[in-house]
């Protein structure tokens, strides 16, 4: 039971008296007054509704917001009860049309008119059975399917069905008792409908949604007329019964809380979460007075407005003889017996809060301030400010636990640093931990907050809280994981850090902690093997050297898999669906630093399973084999290594990196490899020089014999090499000279000059060479002289023919055509060369009228040679190049001289038309040239 004497009082309503509308001159009117005799009223649908009970009255009055009062005659005598529905424009009234106890119920449709008045849709007598009795109360369900009427004899009549029509409704007596019915109320919860019935001595509830209407007696505390009401959903639609000692709240099946509001209650209403009670300002008369208030009583009355949730009085004021309190247009209207209307306007939320916060904060009544702010729907910023001030108050009092709870309620509005600075002291670390936990749960923490919270856990050594914090599910993570890993690692909580890194797929942090802090290399290697290809590859490049140093065998195996056919370990699902990926094996060679044995195994594996491995793999393997061969002492093993290195060289993988392979072989003095590469690179001179350096004379001769045809200068270099040797090399010199002589590679004079530098080479060494050379030259001279004599005789003959052509007539004695070999017939064509043709044969086969068809092909060859010689006369660069490169420069000069390069020749091809006999000599010269060519 709550005693209202301890409740705080506020003034949340402004009181004014309703004035008449201003006149045309703008002067404010006098107080508005209702007609006399009005004692029943209700409100809804934008109007205040009044009725009078004076004899001869019977009118119902409507007062809209414009204060233009209107009425109509509803009954002949009086109106005793009114009920205005809130969701329908339907008004239900009870009154009398004749003397005696004969109340009538009328249902009015205010939207329809009948002769200017609202349409009355239904009339029926309000009598329970055949017993005349006075109507005490009336209520109607908003769905228009239920209407209940209470009587002074304790009866309750229930009308079920459409209350606006007689045909669709059914009336029955629901309740009978010994005490007058003082209040009725319908309660709708979902599909369940209850009817509360209160008398002067008890209260009952009926369930109307069940057949036979079962009922339950809720209490033995009754109330007077108009002293009951139904709350809104903020109080769970509880039925309020106001007795003279207490106010009771009821659910359909039980009694709820009660409040000790003393005084004789006259009127009870519920308005927007407030309980409105009108009571006498002095001690009440005995409760045997059924009416609860008397019309002739003019004592002062107190109107109190209570906030039951927050337990304070929102307004309190004294009035003179209140008729009723109505709610409409967002305000309360208090009707007094003198006809005046007083309006109570609720202040806006901000004004109310400012008015009460000052007093509440001054008296440290923060809980009440918070509840008040919530009930008034203050925004979150305003509530947060109250929580902050409450937290500051508790903090200053030393109640740190209570303070942190208030600060927690400010999260999301108050800057976290404001709270954190207050609790950085080591003695308050548990309070700070609680605040930071909530900050993370609301996903409002940043990396610094995560760092601070984890440090709090580690300082408190609260492993259970730490594990609970980091082992939240993936969807519930409220912190920066990377920051948490860093802090845990720094604090030495490696297992927790590793757990976070693995759970949230921070591979880099997991491997860093395993390798640098825990030193668990096997686990790190296993973890890499579970990663997707790209991540496994990058991490092996980063941590491969460390792993190779500590677990070389396992690391090598993983690298083999990574570079051939990698699939994450443990991922057996869909192995056939995954695309096989291969890393570049060359990129992992630096991982094997100082691990040559594992490197060799890795490289040999790669060359075996992947013939198309990168060139760097073969280069490194060659270098590794050459190193092993060079440092090996055991002859058998050395021979095996020699064979392996040479086999690798002969694999054909070093064509594009010939120079690199050659340098490697030279660095390790691998002779067979050097010679093989020289041979592959056609570096025959280098092969010979290599043998010369090692003074392997036979090898020098063999090289010349093998490759001399491809590079003739080898013999010359061999001769110069042996010529410089002071020891006896006659045998080798003779072999060289024999080959030079056979191939005519050097002029004899140059041979003599070359051998002149050798003191051991006597004339006998080159005697045979010189004799043979001189004999060949003599034979060549004789052949040349014979050819010269032949050319002279041919020239003399040709000149004689020319002379004969010039001086003597040409007799054509051919009897057959040179083309068809048939007997010649006129007309015929004869040429000086001696060929004759039928004219029609000549015209058919000849391409030119001035050339013999038979001699023309050969003549053209000669002419083409002459033209070619003429074109080549100006090719000085070509001549200079041939002259420099030729072993015998004189022969090149003679060749160009023979082509006429050094002569200026005028070439005459065809006789121009019209020249006649003056050009005969030129034609003869051309014929001479052609004839000379044929003769040769």
């Amino acid at each position: 039971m709550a005693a209202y004497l301890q409740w705080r009082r506020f003034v949340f309503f402004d009181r004014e008296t309703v004035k008449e509308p201003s006149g045309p001159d703008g002067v404010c009117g006098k107080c508005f007054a209702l007609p006399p005799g009005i004692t029943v009223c209700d409100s809804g649908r934008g109007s205040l509704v009044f009725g009078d009970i004076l004899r001869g009255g019977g009118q119902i009055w409507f007062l809209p917001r414009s204060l233009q009062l209107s009425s109509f005659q509803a009954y002949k005598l009086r109106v005793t009860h009114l009920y205005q529905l809130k969701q329908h424009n339907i008004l239900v009234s009870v009154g009398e049309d004749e003397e005696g106890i004969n109340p009538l119920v009328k249902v009015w449709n205010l939207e329809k008119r009948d002769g200017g008045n609202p349409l009355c849709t239904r009339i029926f007598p309000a009598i329970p059975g055949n017993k005349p009795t006075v109507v005490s109360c009336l209520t109607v369900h908003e769905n228009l399917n239920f209407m209940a009427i209470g009587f002074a004899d304790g009866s309750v009549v229930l009308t079920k069905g459409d209350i606006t029509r007689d045909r669709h409704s059914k009336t029955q007596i629901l309740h009978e008792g010994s005490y007058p019915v003082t209040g009725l109320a319908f309660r709708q919860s979902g599909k369940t409908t209850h009817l509360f019935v209160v008398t002067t001595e008890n209260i009952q509830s009926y369930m109307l949604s069940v057949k036979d209407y079962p009922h339950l007696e809720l209490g033995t505390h009754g109330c007077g007329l108009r002293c009951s009401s139904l709350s809104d959903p903020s109080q769970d639609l509880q039925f309020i019964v106001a007795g003279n000692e207490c106010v009771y709240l009821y659910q359909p099946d039980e009694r709820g809380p009660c409040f000790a509001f003393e005084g004789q209650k006259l009127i009870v209403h519920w308005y927007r979460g407030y309980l409105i009670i009108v009571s006498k300002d002095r001690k009440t008369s005995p409760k045997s007075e059924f009416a609860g208030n008397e019309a002739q009583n003019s004592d002062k009355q107190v109107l109190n407005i209570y906030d039951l949730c927050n337990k304070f009085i929102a307004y309190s004021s004294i009035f003179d003889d209140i008729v009723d309190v109505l709610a409409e247009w967002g305000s309360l209207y208090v009707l007094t017996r003198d006809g005046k209307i007083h309006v109570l306007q609720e202040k806006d939320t901000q004004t109310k809060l400012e008015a009460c916060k000052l007093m509440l904060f001054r008296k440290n009544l923060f809980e009440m301030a918070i509840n008040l702010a919530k009930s008034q729907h203050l925004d979150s910023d305003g509530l947060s400010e109250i929580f902050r001030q409450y937290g500051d108050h508790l903090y200053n009092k030393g109640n740190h636990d209570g303070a942190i709870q208030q600060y927690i309620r400010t999260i999301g509005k108050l800057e976290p640093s404001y709270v954190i600075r207050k609790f950085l002291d080591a003695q308050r670390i548990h309070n700070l931990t609680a605040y930071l936990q909530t900050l993370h749960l609301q996903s409002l923490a940043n990396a610094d907050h995560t760092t601070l919270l984890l440090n709090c856990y580690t300082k408190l050594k609260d492993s259970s809280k730490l594990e609970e914090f980091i082992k939240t599910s993936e969807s519930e993570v409220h912190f920066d994981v990377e920051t948490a890993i860093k802090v845990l690692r720094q604090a030495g909580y490696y297992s927790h850090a590793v757990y976070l890194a693995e759970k949230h797929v921070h591979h880099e942090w997991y491997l860093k902690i395993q390798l640098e802090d825990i030193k668990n290399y096997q686990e790190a290697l296993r973890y890499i093997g579970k990663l997707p290809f790209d991540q496994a590859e990058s991490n092996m490049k980063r941590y491969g050297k460390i792993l190779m140093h500590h677990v070389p065998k396992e690391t090598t195996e993983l690298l083999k898999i990574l570079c051939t056919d990698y699939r994450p370990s443990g991922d057996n699902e869909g192995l056939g669906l995954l695309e096989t990926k291969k890393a570049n094996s060359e990129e992992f060679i630096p991982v094997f630093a100082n691990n040559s044995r594992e490197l060799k195994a890795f490289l040999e594996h790669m060359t075996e399973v992947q013939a198309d491995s990168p060139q760097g793999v073969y280069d490194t393997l060659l270098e590794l084999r050459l190193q092993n061969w060079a440092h090996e002492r055991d002859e058998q093993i050395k021979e095996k290594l020699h064979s392996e290195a040479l086999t690798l060289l002969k694999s054909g993988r070093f064509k594009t990196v010939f120079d690199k392979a050659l340098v490697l072989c030279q660095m390790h003095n691998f002779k067979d490899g050097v010679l093989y590469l020289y041979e592959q690179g056609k570096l025959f001179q280098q092969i010979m020089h290599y043998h010369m350096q090692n003074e392997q004379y036979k090898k020098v001769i063999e090289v010349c014999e093998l490759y001399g045809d491809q590079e003739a200068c080898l013999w010359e270099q061999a001769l110069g090499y042996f010529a410089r040797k002071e020891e006896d090399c006659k045998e080798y010199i003779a072999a060289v000279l024999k080959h030079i002589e056979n191939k005519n590679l050097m002029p004899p004079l140059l041979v003599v000059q070359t051998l002149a530098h050798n003191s051991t080479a006597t004339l006998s060494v080159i005697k045979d060479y010189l004799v043979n050379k001189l004999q060949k030259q003599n034979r060549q001279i004789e052949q040349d002289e014979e050819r010269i004599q032949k050319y002279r005789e041919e020239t003399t003959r040709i000149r004689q023919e020319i002379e004969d052509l010039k001086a003597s007539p040409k007799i054509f004695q051919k009897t057959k055509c040179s083309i068809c070999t048939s007997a010649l017939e006129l007309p015929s064509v004869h040429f000086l060369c001696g060929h004759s043709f039928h004219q029609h044969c000549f015209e058919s086969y000849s391409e030119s009228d001035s050339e013999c068809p038979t001699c023309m092909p050969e003549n053209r060859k000669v002419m083409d040679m002459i033209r070619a010689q003429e074109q080549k006369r100006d090719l000085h660069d070509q001549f200079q190049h041939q002259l420099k490169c030729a072993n015998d420069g004189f022969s090149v000069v003679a060749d160009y001289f023979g082509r006429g390069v050094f002569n200026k020749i005028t070439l005459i091809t065809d006789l121009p038309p019209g020249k006649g006999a003056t050009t005969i000599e030129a034609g003869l010269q051309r014929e001479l040239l052609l004839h000379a060519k044929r003769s040769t």
Side-chain angles (χ1 to χ4, degrees):
M1 180 180 292
Y4 81 99
L5 294 176
Q6 299 175 357
W7 288 20
R8 299 288 171 182
R9 292 176 178 268
F10 301 101
V11 182
F12 284 174
F13 290 81
D14 294 323
R15 174 179 172 177
E16 292 181 2
T17 302
V18 177
K19 305 285 187 181
E20 291 184 353
S22 302
D25 54 358
V27 178
C28 184
K30 59 184 179 178
C31 291
F32 181 84
L34 291 171
I38 290 177
T39 55
V40 293
C41 53
D42 203 354
S43 62
R45 308 298 293 180
S47 295
L48 303 180
V49 185
F50 308 104
D52 61 66
I53 62 172
L54 294 178
R55 183 169 179 158
Q59 287 189 320
I60 295 178
W61 303 79
F62 295 95
L63 182 65
R65 197 164 192 175
S66 62
L67 302 181
Q68 301 296 322
L69 193 63
S70 62
S71 66
F72 72 96
Q73 190 73 36
Y75 295 90
K76 296 177 180 179
L77 293 182
R78 63 182 63 87
V79 180
T80 59
H81 296 82
L82 291 172
Y83 192 93
Q84 172 67 57
L85 277 78
K86 305 300 185 287
Q87 299 178 11
H88 303 276
N89 212 358
I90 300 296
L91 175 66
V92 180
S93 64
V94 179
E96 298 174 1
D97 281 342
E98 57 187 18
E99 293 292 342
I101 303 174
N102 188 22
L104 290 176
V105 178
K106 294 185 179 182
V107 180
W108 307 90
N109 189 336
L110 303 181
E111 292 180 349
K112 297 181 180 180
R113 293 289 165 175
D114 181 14
N117 297 329
L119 176 64
C120 182
T121 62
R122 184 180 182 186
I123 303 175
F124 64 94
I127 299 176
N130 296 321
K131 300 181 295 181
T133 181
V134 177
V135 175
S136 59
C137 53
L138 167 70
T139 186
V140 181
H141 199 291
E142 287 292 336
N143 63 11
L144 299 178
N145 286 328
F146 293 102
M147 179 169 60
I149 304 173
F151 297 90
D153 67 350
S155 302
V156 175
V157 174
L158 176 68
T159 300
K160 184 178 181 182
D162 189 353
I163 65 168
T164 63
R165 298 182 182 181
D166 292 319
R167 191 179 305 173
H168 298 93
S169 63
K170 180 181 179 181
T171 301
Q172 67 183 86
I173 298 175
L174 179 68
H175 171 81
E176 290 182 328
S178 304
Y179 305 104
V181 178
T182 58
L184 297 168
F186 287 107
R187 181 184 190 271
Q188 186 71 40
S189 177
K191 295 183 179 181
T192 304
T193 304
H194 288 88
L195 174 64
F196 290 101
V197 178
V198 61
T199 67
T200 56
E201 297 297 332
N202 58 26
I203 176 172
Q204 298 184 22
S205 70
Y206 287 83
M207 185 180 291
L208 303 182
S209 54
V210 178
K211 189 177 181 181
D212 299 333
Y213 308 138
H215 70 280
L216 179 67
E217 185 171 345
L218 300 176
T220 58
H221 300 280
C223 67
L225 285 173
R226 300 195 296 171
C227 290
S228 63
S229 182
L230 189 70
S231 69
D232 60 18
S234 67
Q235 280 292 330
D236 199 19
L237 297 173
Q238 296 185 89
F239 187 58
I240 302 168
V241 177
N244 290 334
E245 290 84 13
C246 295
V247 174
Y248 300 92
L249 277 67
Y250 292 93
Q251 293 282 357
D253 54 356
E254 63 180 353
R255 196 184 83 175
C258 66
F259 299 89
F261 300 150
E262 295 182 355
Q264 182 182 358
K265 313 301 186 299
L266 304 176
I267 300 173
V268 173
H269 286 295
W270 186 266
Y271 169 73
R272 290 187 176 180
Y274 293 113
L275 176 62
I276 302 169
I277 296 179
V278 178
S279 58
K280 285 189 176 182
D281 196 24
R282 60 180 177 81
K283 293 296 182 182
T284 62
S285 56
K287 68 176 183 177
S288 59
E289 296 180 2
F290 157 66
N293 65 322
E294 300 176 0
Q296 68 274 15
N297 193 345
S298 61
D299 294 336
K300 296 291 186 181
Q301 297 172 354
V302 179
L303 183 146
N304 288 321
I305 302 177
Y306 299 95
D307 187 329
L308 300 184
C309 292
N310 300 311
K311 295 181 173 55
F312 64 84
I313 301 173
Y315 182 77
S316 181
S317 182
I318 297 175
F319 291 85
D320 292 330
D321 202 359
I322 298 175
V323 175
D324 207 344
V325 179
L326 305 175
E328 192 66 25
W329 309 308
S331 302
L332 290 173
Y333 292 87
V334 181
L335 173 63
T336 57
R337 192 72 59 185
D338 57 6
K340 293 182 179 179
I341 301 177
H342 304 272
V343 60
L344 299 180
Q345 180 68 46
E346 187 176 7
K347 297 179 180 179
D348 63 84
T349 301
Q350 194 62 35
T351 303
K352 289 189 292 185
L353 292 174
E354 290 300 328
C356 70
K357 275 199 302 185
L358 225 66
M359 181 186 73
L360 294 176
F361 289 177
R362 194 181 306 119
K363 297 181 180 182
N364 298 325
L365 299 175
F366 290 98
E367 286 293 346
M368 180 175 286
I370 291 169
N371 293 334
L372 175 62
K374 288 182 177 179
S375 67
Q376 298 298 321
H377 306 291
L378 183 64
D379 60 20
S380 57
D381 291 333
L383 278 172
S384 178
E385 178 60 22
I386 299 175
F387 294 142
R388 183 194 65 78
Q389 294 186 33
Y390 191 14
D392 290 346
H393 168 71
L394 295 175
Y395 181 85
N396 294 330
K397 287 176 62 178
N399 184 1
H400 298 133
D401 293 341
I404 203 65
Q405 293 304 317
Q406 299 307 316
Y407 287 135
I408 285 174
R409 300 167 80 177
T410 67
I411 289 176
K413 298 297 180 182
L414 182 63
E415 177 62 36
S417 60
Y418 177 86
V419 180
I420 293 172
R421 282 196 298 267
K422 290 178 178 288
F423 292 91
L424 284 177
D425 194 300
Q427 296 178 351
R428 303 168 192 164
I429 193 170
H430 64 282
N431 300 124
L432 180 59
T433 303
Y435 179 82
L436 291 171
Q437 281 178 339
T438 310
L439 197 64
H440 281 81
L441 287 175
Q442 298 187 20
S443 301
L444 295 173
N446 57 29
D448 294 332
H449 298 148
T450 302
T451 303
L452 188 56
L453 177 58
L454 292 173
N455 283 328
C456 289
Y457 284 141
T458 56
K459 294 292 183 184
L460 293 172
K461 300 188 182 301
D462 193 346
S463 298
S464 61
K465 282 286 187 182
L466 180 59
E467 289 188 5
E468 180 183 352
F469 177 74
I470 67 173
K471 292 185 179 181
T472 53
S473 63
E474 188 85 25
S475 59
E476 296 175 356
V477 174
H478 304 287
F479 57 89
D480 183 77
V481 176
E482 187 169 356
T483 301
I485 294 173
K486 290 180 183 177
V487 175
L488 290 171
R489 183 189 183 199
Q490 187 176 5
Y493 285 78
Y494 300 129
S495 61
H496 295 78
V498 164
Y499 171 82
L500 270 183
E502 184 174 13
K503 179 180 179 182
H504 298 283
V505 201
H506 285 262
H507 307 310
E508 182 180 352
W509 281 108
Y510 181 91
L511 294 172
K512 188 176 292 186
I513 297 170
Q514 287 283 16
L515 295 173
E516 298 178 7
D517 301 319
I518 303 178
K519 310 292 185 183
N520 191 343
Y521 304 105
Q522 289 282 4
E523 180 61 26
L525 195 63
R526 180 197 64 80
Y527 186 82
I528 293 176
K530 292 165 54 179
L531 298 179
F533 172 78
D534 294 334
Q535 297 172 356
E537 181 185 24
S538 62
N539 282 293
M540 281 305 295
K541 290 178 181 178
R542 181 176 300 171
Y543 301 110
K545 289 184 179 179
I546 299 175
L547 293 170
M548 184 62 67
H549 178 72
H550 294 91
V551 282
K553 183 177 179 181
E554 293 81 355
T555 305
T556 303
E557 291 302 317
L558 179 58
L559 286 174
K560 288 179 181 179
I561 297 173
L562 190 64
C563 296
T564 52
D565 185 12
Y566 179 78
R567 289 185 177 90
S569 62
D571 187 11
N572 295 323
E573 297 182 4
L575 286 178
L577 301 177
L578 292 175
E579 181 183 355
T580 303
K581 293 186 176 181
K582 301 176 183 179
N584 187 347
S585 52
E586 184 178 1
E587 296 177 355
F588 292 99
I589 293 176
V591 170
F592 293 89
N594 303 321
N595 293 84
S596 59
R597 183 176 62 183
E598 284 74 20
L599 176 59
K600 182 181 178 184
F602 172 72
L603 295 176
E604 289 177 346
H605 173 79
M606 293 308 302
T607 56
E608 289 174 4
V609 300
Q610 286 185 2
D612 58 343
S613 295
Q615 185 61 44
V617 171
Y618 286 92
D619 296 345
T620 307
L621 181 58
L622 175 62
E623 183 178 3
L624 201 59
R625 287 183 175 180
L626 291 175
Q627 286 180 354
N628 294 340
W629 172 80
H631 294 92
E632 184 59 50
R633 301 298 179 188
D634 190 311
E635 290 298 327
Q636 291 183 350
I637 299 176
K638 192 177 183 72
E639 182 63 27
K640 181 182 178 182
L641 294 174
H642 178 279
S643 176
E644 290 178 352
L646 195 59
T647 301
L648 182 61
L649 273 176
K650 293 180 178 180
S651 65
R653 295 292 307 185
F654 299 92
K655 294 180 180 179
T656 57
V657 288
F658 173 83
D659 294 340
K660 186 175 182 179
L662 182 60
V663 170
L664 288 174
C665 292
Q666 291 173 340
M667 286 173 56
H668 296 89
N669 196 25
F670 190 59
K671 297 180 181 179
D672 291 346
V674 171
L675 292 175
Y676 173 77
L677 291 174
Y678 280 159
E679 182 179 358
Q680 293 300 307
K682 296 185 179 182
L683 302 177
F684 307 128
Q685 295 189 34
Q686 281 79 352
I687 296 175
M688 190 171 68
H689 288 163
Y690 178 84
H691 292 308
M692 288 178 178
Q693 290 174 358
N694 292 285
E695 298 185 349
Q696 297 174 337
Y697 302 147
K698 290 184 179 181
K699 292 289 184 180
V700 172
I701 298 299
E702 290 177 2
V703 170
C704 291
E705 291 174 348
L706 287 173
Y707 311 116
D709 293 339
Q710 301 178 47
E711 198 164 344
C713 62
L714 293 178
W715 291 105
E716 300 177 16
Q717 295 177 9
L719 180 62
Y721 168 73
F722 289 121
R724 290 191 296 271
K725 291 293 182 181
E726 295 299 326
E727 57 192 82
D728 189 5
C729 297
K730 294 180 181 179
E731 177 184 355
Y732 305 110
I733 293 175
V736 173
L737 286 175
K738 182 178 180 181
H739 193 84
I740 290 175
E741 179 185 356
N742 293 336
K743 297 293 184 178
N744 193 25
L745 299 178
M746 295 177 62
L749 183 58
L750 185 58
V751 173
V752 173
Q753 291 176 349
T754 301
L755 292 176
H757 300 288
N758 191 327
S759 59
T760 60
T762 59
L763 185 60
S764 61
V765 175
I766 61 171
K767 175 182 177 183
D768 295 337
Y769 168 76
L770 292 175
V771 170
N772 292 334
K773 198 67 177 173
L774 290 173
Q775 288 177 350
K776 285 182 179 180
Q777 289 183 355
N778 287 334
R779 287 194 294 272
Q780 183 66 35
I781 291 171
E782 290 175 358
Q783 292 175 359
D784 292 342
E785 287 178 348
E786 290 176 359
R787 189 176 294 112
I788 291 170
Q789 182 61 33
K790 183 179 177 181
Y791 288 158
R792 283 176 179 173
E793 292 174 355
E794 183 71 18
T795 301
T796 302
R797 185 182 61 80
I798 291 172
R799 286 177 177 174
Q800 183 61 43
E801 288 182 4
I802 293 172
E803 288 296 330
D804 291 343
L805 289 173
K806 288 180 179 180
S808 303
K810 177 67 176 177
I811 300 173
F812 300 103
Q813 297 179 343
K814 286 278 186 180
T815 60
K816 293 183 178 181
C817 176
S818 299
I819 293 178
C820 64
T821 66
S822 299
L824 282 175
E825 297 176 357
L826 294 177
S828 59
V829 179
H830 304 276
F831 282 88
L832 294 177
C833 59
H835 294 107
S836 299
F837 308 93
H838 293 114
Q839 185 174 358
H840 60 85
C841 290
F842 176 76
E843 290 176 353
S844 299
Y845 290 94
S846 176
E847 296 179 7
S848 174
D849 294 342
S850 58
E851 289 189 81
C852 173
T854 302
C855 299
M856 184 175 63
E858 192 66 26
N859 292 343
R860 285 190 177 179
K861 289 182 181 179
V862 175
M863 298 302 295
D864 290 340
M865 292 175 61
I866 295 173
R867 290 192 185 95
Q869 289 180 1
E870 185 178 6
Q871 291 174 359
K872 291 181 180 179
R873 269 186 285 168
D874 297 329
L875 301 179
H876 302 294
D877 294 339
Q878 183 178 357
F879 170 72
Q880 292 293 334
H881 176 72
Q882 291 184 4
L883 188 62
K884 290 180 180 179
C885 296
N887 295 325
D888 186 3
F890 182 79
S891 61
V892 175
V893 174
D895 178 61
Y896 274 83
F897 188 86
R899 295 181 194 173
V901 172
F902 305 107
N903 299 329
K904 185 175 181 179
I905 298 176
T906 301
L907 182 63
I908 301 174
T909 56
D910 298 327
L911 286 174
K915 291 293 182 179
T918 58
T919 59
I920 293 177
E921 185 175 354
L924 291 175
Q925 290 179 357
R926 184 190 64 178
E927 291 295 333
L928 179 60
L929 286 173
L930 296 176
H931 181 76
K933 180 63 180 176
R934 286 194 302 271
S935 300
T936 56

